[in-house]
């Protein structure tokens, strides 16, 4: 702990350094009730060049000691450190010491986030800083809002703990990638610090500074502020924590706490897929199946769980069919999309299994399916409008400089071409004929990979069949009805054929539609049933 003083010049208000320090230099900053002994300096305590100032008790970390201590704490808790050259952020998931793919990646790549594959954050930029570390001590830490040597130069000194010397600075040079020392800047830094705090050399000149070393650093600044959020990249949850500029140490605890919460959230989502092995479970009919009509599903926590579950299973399915070239991503952009897919008259069935890794072995979603009255229309109007909105969103991001690697794909000309193709696609022609036999669609069949080929899908299909039979009977129709399935032929055709369904309609979607470089088929399948099968 030590005495700290911040000095402000009114003329620096619009300079780079003045803007950077604006919050800290306020007469009553946000931290005034956090740090000990905060007060405003009187006019008698200020030299003529300064207009205002504040003083308080603060702390300065000796990073040469602090960082090895952090490493030792991690080692003590079993953390394994590895070095590797990576081209893409998702590659980190493949170098886990266990040999298994990592569940979560935490991206703290700093300035490298500008060009790192999978991140490529164009809002990142360097802000060059140059310092001089000396053995001299003044028993005070201080900083000023600016200097007369240029608006990208600043004056500060920080005395490090445990004999770590005093750090003199500095510069605030935006967009400057130069990592080499500037000797003239070093002289200006030392002169400014000695003038600000003559006690540093006992009232003598800079020749009495005992220099340990000089340094240059590139602050990882991010326009728009620090990025702390999670997203799925190549099927792996990635928590971003970068863009801290020159306040990484100061903000490390708060930012780490937020990042840790996001990691826990990602692991909670992953935990839904950690289900006890089928050999350890009871028979499937003893597992719980919940029936939920769409109106009861809206605006519930369960809707969010289903939305995430369906997206994760969808991603897993895409990874098993790389030949289609689909990008991994959300099938449903938001929970409301899941509801729209089901429709207002749908019934959703949720299959649960016990997760022994959770307190009390709570149940988790391991499979789901639904059914609803069949409609042959492809509902392309809604999809066309969604693509238009997606293009508008990409254009807005591009205008703000956040277009990313997909910027070229989402041009207006390209999207217009796709939209024209979409608008030409009409309804499917069916070979089974649209007679008066009631039809119910089987929707959103999702089974967690660990439970596939264990009979859960068949169990849900049987449940859906009984539901459809009950609905047809209640409407006074029958005795015949049909179950319908609409799916991607290249991914699911073999499965539905094995289940006794027959293809009755098909449409080919040309390359480029819905991000598929090869094109794909949407196929409708049908299977006959009777009410008395129950």
């Amino acid at each position: 702990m030590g005495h700290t003083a911040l000095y402000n010049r009114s003329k620096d208000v619009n300079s780079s350094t003045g803007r950077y320090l604006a919050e800290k230099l306020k007469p009553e900053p946000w931290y005034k009730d956090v740090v000990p002994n905060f007060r405003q300096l009187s006019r008698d305590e200020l030299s003529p060049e300064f207009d205002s100032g504040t003083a308080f008790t603060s702390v300065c970390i000796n990073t040469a000691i602090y960082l090895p201590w952090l490493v030792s704490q991690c080692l003590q808790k079993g953390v394994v450190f590895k070095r590797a050259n990576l081209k893409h952020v998702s590659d980190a998931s493949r170098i886990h010491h266990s040999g298994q793919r990592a569940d979560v990646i935490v991206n703290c790549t700093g300035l490298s986030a500008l060009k790192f594959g999978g991140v490529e954050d164009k809002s990142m930029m360097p802000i060059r800083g140059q310092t001089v570390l000396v053995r001299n001590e003044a028993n005070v830490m201080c900083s000023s809002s600016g200097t007369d040597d240029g608006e990208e130069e600043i004056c500060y000194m920080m005395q490090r703990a445990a004999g770590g010397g005093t750090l003199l600075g500095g510069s605030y040079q935006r967009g400057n990638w130069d990592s080499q020392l500037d000797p003239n800047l070093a002289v200006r830094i030392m002169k400014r610090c000695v003038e600000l705090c003559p006690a540093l050399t006992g009232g003598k000149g800079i020749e009495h500074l005992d220099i340990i070393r000089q340094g240059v650093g590139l602050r990882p600044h991010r326009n728009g502020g620090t990025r702390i959020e999670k997203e799925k990249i190549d099927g792996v949850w990635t928590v971003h924590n970068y863009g801290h500029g020159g306040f990484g140490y100061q903000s490390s605890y708060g930012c780490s706490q937020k990042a840790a919460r996001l990691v826990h959230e990602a692991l909670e989502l992953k935990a839904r897929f950690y289900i006890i092995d089928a050999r350890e479970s009871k028979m499937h009919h003893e597992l719980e199946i919940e029936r939920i009509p769409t109106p009861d599903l809206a605006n519930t926590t369960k809707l969010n769980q289903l939305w995430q579950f369906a997206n994760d299973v969808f991603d897993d399915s895409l990874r098993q069919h790389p030949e289609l070239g689909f990008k991994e991503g959300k099938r449903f952009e938001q929970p409301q999309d899941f509801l729209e897919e089901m429709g207002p008259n749908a019934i959703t069935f949720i299959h649960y299994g016990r997760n022994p890794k959770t307190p009390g072995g709570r149940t988790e979603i391991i499979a789901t399916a639904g059914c609803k009255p069949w409609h042959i229309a492809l509902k392309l109007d809604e999809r066309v409008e969604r693509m238009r909105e997606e293009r508008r969103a990409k254009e807005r991001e591009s205008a703000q400089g956040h277009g990313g690697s997909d910027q070229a794909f989402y041009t207006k000309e390209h999207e217009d071409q796709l939209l024209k193709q979409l608008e030409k696609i009409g309804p499917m022609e069916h070979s089974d004929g649209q007679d008066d036999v009631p039809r119910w669609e089987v929707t959103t069949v999702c089974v967690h990979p660990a439970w596939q080929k264990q009979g859960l899908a068949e169990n849900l299909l049987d449940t859906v069949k009984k539901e459809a039979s009950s609905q047809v009977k209640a409407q006074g129709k029958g005795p015949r009805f049909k179950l319908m399935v609409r799916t991607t032929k290249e991914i699911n055709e073999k499965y539905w054929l094995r289940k006794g369904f027959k293809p009755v309609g098909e449409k080919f979607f040309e390359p480029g539609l819905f991000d598929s470089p090869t094109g794909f088929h949407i196929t409708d399948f049908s299977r006959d049933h009777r009410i008395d099968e129950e």
Side-chain angles (χ1 to χ4, degrees):
M1 303 291 283
H3 177 67
T4 301
L6 300 181
Y7 301 105
N8 184 35
R9 306 189 311 175
S10 298
K11 64 181 180 180
D12 296 325
V13 64
N14 292 319
S15 68
S16 296
T17 56
R19 290 191 296 270
Y20 173 62
L21 295 169
E23 183 63 36
K24 302 179 182 69
L25 294 169
K26 289 181 179 179
E28 294 196 0
W30 64 267
Y31 56 83
K32 69 181 183 67
D33 297 322
V34 177
V35 296
N37 306 316
F38 181 87
R39 66 184 181 87
Q40 295 185 27
L41 295 175
S42 66
R43 183 69 257 180
D44 294 340
E45 297 175 284
L46 298 170
S47 61
E49 64 179 302
F50 297 114
D51 300 297
S52 62
T54 57
F56 50 91
T57 300
S58 184
V59 62
C60 184
I61 299 171
N62 186 344
T63 56
I65 297 175
Y66 180 60
L67 290 178
W69 176 81
L70 285 179
V71 171
S72 70
Q73 295 299 298
C74 291
L75 291 171
Q76 187 179 8
K77 296 182 181 299
V79 173
V80 176
F81 287 86
K82 298 184 74 172
R83 291 181 182 270
N85 292 318
L86 305 177
K87 294 183 178 180
H88 195 281
V89 65
S90 64
D91 294 340
S93 68
R94 301 179 180 89
I95 60 171
H96 195 274
H97 64 88
S98 67
Q100 302 296 316
R101 197 178 190 192
D103 294 329
V104 181
I105 297 169
V106 181
N107 171 32
C108 303
T109 51
L111 198 54
S112 295
L114 176 64
K115 298 182 178 180
F116 197 26
V119 185
E120 297 170 296
D121 190 337
K122 304 305 180 184
S123 58
M124 290 296 298
M125 65 176 294
I127 297 182
R128 184 181 182 276
Q130 183 167 322
T131 60
V132 180
L133 183 64
V134 299
R135 294 184 176 86
N136 307 62
E137 295 182 351
N139 296 316
V140 65
M141 293 182 285
C142 53
S143 178
S144 68
S145 60
T147 76
D148 292 331
D149 294 324
E151 69 166 32
E152 290 191 332
E153 296 192 23
I154 194 171
C155 179
Y156 63 84
M157 64 180 68
M158 297 180 287
Q159 185 173 318
R160 291 176 169 176
T166 301
L167 191 70
L168 312 181
S171 63
Y172 195 77
Q173 299 165 313
R174 297 173 64 89
N176 190 328
W177 288 90
D178 189 0
S179 62
Q180 301 302 307
L181 289 169
D182 180 345
N184 294 324
L185 175 56
V187 171
R188 294 197 297 273
I189 288 171
M190 291 185 285
K191 284 184 175 181
R192 290 194 294 261
C193 288
V194 169
E195 290 174 0
L196 182 65
C197 183
L200 195 61
T201 57
K204 301 176 183 179
I206 65 172
E207 63 274 10
H208 291 276
L209 289 172
D210 188 356
I211 299 173
I212 300 173
R213 62 177 177 272
Q214 300 181 49
V216 173
L218 303 179
R219 302 176 181 93
H221 174 79
R222 183 173 185 271
N223 295 324
T226 306
R227 184 185 184 191
I228 308 178
E229 60 185 10
K230 71 177 189 298
E231 67 171 324
K232 226 172 189 185
I233 301 177
D234 289 351
V236 182
W237 279 112
T238 302
V239 175
H240 299 289
N241 186 9
Y242 65 84
H244 301 84
F247 50 88
Y249 288 106
Q250 297 96 312
S251 64
S252 60
Y253 275 80
C255 291
S256 296
Q257 287 172 354
K258 183 174 181 180
R261 286 196 296 269
L262 294 177
V263 169
H264 286 302
E265 288 178 12
L267 290 174
E268 276 290 311
L269 296 171
K270 186 74 175 180
R272 296 186 189 131
F273 288 153
Y274 186 90
I275 307 298
I276 184 172
D277 188 275
R279 291 171 296 179
E280 302 175 27
S281 70
K282 302 291 183 68
M283 296 298 291
H284 292 313
H285 68 268
E286 296 184 25
L287 297 174
E288 179 187 358
I289 296 181
E290 184 177 10
R291 176 186 184 276
I292 311 177
T294 294
D296 296 340
L297 188 60
N299 302 318
T300 64
T301 301
K302 198 156 294 181
L303 173 60
N304 289 330
Q305 294 172 349
L306 276 172
W307 166 64
Q308 185 62 59
F309 179 81
N311 279 335
D312 287 340
V313 174
F314 180 64
D315 269 356
D316 180 76
S317 178
L318 292 184
R319 285 195 294 272
Q320 295 179 37
H321 295 273
E323 72 279 2
L324 295 178
F326 279 113
K327 296 180 181 179
E328 292 183 27
K330 297 178 180 178
R331 177 182 178 185
F332 305 106
E333 288 296 325
Q334 53 189 354
Q336 189 63 31
D337 294 339
F338 185 89
L339 283 183
E340 290 179 7
E341 175 84 6
M342 297 303 294
N345 299 316
I347 306 295
T348 299
F349 296 95
I350 304 175
H351 222 318
Y352 293 95
R354 186 174 64 84
N355 183 348
K357 292 296 183 180
T358 58
R362 77 182 180 208
T363 57
E364 304 280 4
I365 298 174
I366 58 175
T368 184
C371 62
K372 63 181 180 180
W374 168 251
H375 295 287
I376 193 173
L378 284 170
K379 295 185 178 181
L380 285 178
D381 289 342
E382 291 91 337
R383 296 190 181 186
V384 167
E385 183 55 38
R386 286 185 186 179
M387 291 197 75
R388 286 197 181 103
E389 180 53 37
E390 187 176 4
R391 171 170 55 79
R392 295 186 193 111
K394 286 292 180 181
E395 287 175 347
R396 289 194 295 269
E397 292 177 5
S398 177
Q400 297 169 5
H402 305 308
S405 59
D406 287 336
Q407 183 173 345
F409 179 84
Y410 289 100
T411 62
K412 184 178 186 303
E413 292 73 19
H414 188 69
E415 289 296 340
D416 284 345
Q417 180 182 359
L418 295 183
L419 293 172
K420 288 179 181 178
Q421 293 177 9
L422 276 177
E423 289 164 345
K424 292 179 181 179
I425 299 176
M428 292 186 180
E429 295 181 3
H430 277 237
S431 61
D432 71 335
Q434 293 300 299
D435 49 38
D436 294 332
V437 176
R439 290 169 171 79
W440 277 73
E441 180 179 358
V442 183
T443 66
T444 321
V445 180
C446 299
V447 179
H448 177 267
W451 283 86
Q452 290 174 4
K453 299 182 180 180
Q454 302 291 336
L456 267 73
E458 187 63 36
N459 197 23
L460 282 169
L461 282 175
D462 186 60
T463 303
V464 166
K465 182 190 72 174
K466 291 178 180 179
E467 177 68 30
S469 176
S470 175
Q471 293 282 349
V472 170
K473 188 175 182 179
Q475 295 170 4
K477 299 180 179 180
R480 293 179 55 235
F481 68 95
K482 295 186 177 185
L483 288 182
M484 309 294 295
V485 174
R486 172 166 288 160
T487 188
T488 306
K489 176 181 180 179
E490 288 78 2
I491 296 177
N492 295 314
E493 180 183 41
K494 292 181 179 179
Y495 174 83
W496 292 109
L497 289 176
R498 287 198 305 269
K499 298 302 178 184
F501 284 78
K502 298 179 181 179
V504 294
E506 187 170 282
K507 273 288 183 182
F508 179 66
F509 285 66
E510 298 179 10
L513 293 179
F514 304 109
D515 293 341
S516 171
T518 61
F520 61 97
H521 294 82
I522 292 295
T523 304
D524 288 347
F525 293 86
S526 173
R527 190 171 75 179
D528 291 329
H529 292 277
R530 293 181 63 88
I531 292 176
D532 53 16
E533 288 177 348
E534 295 187 69

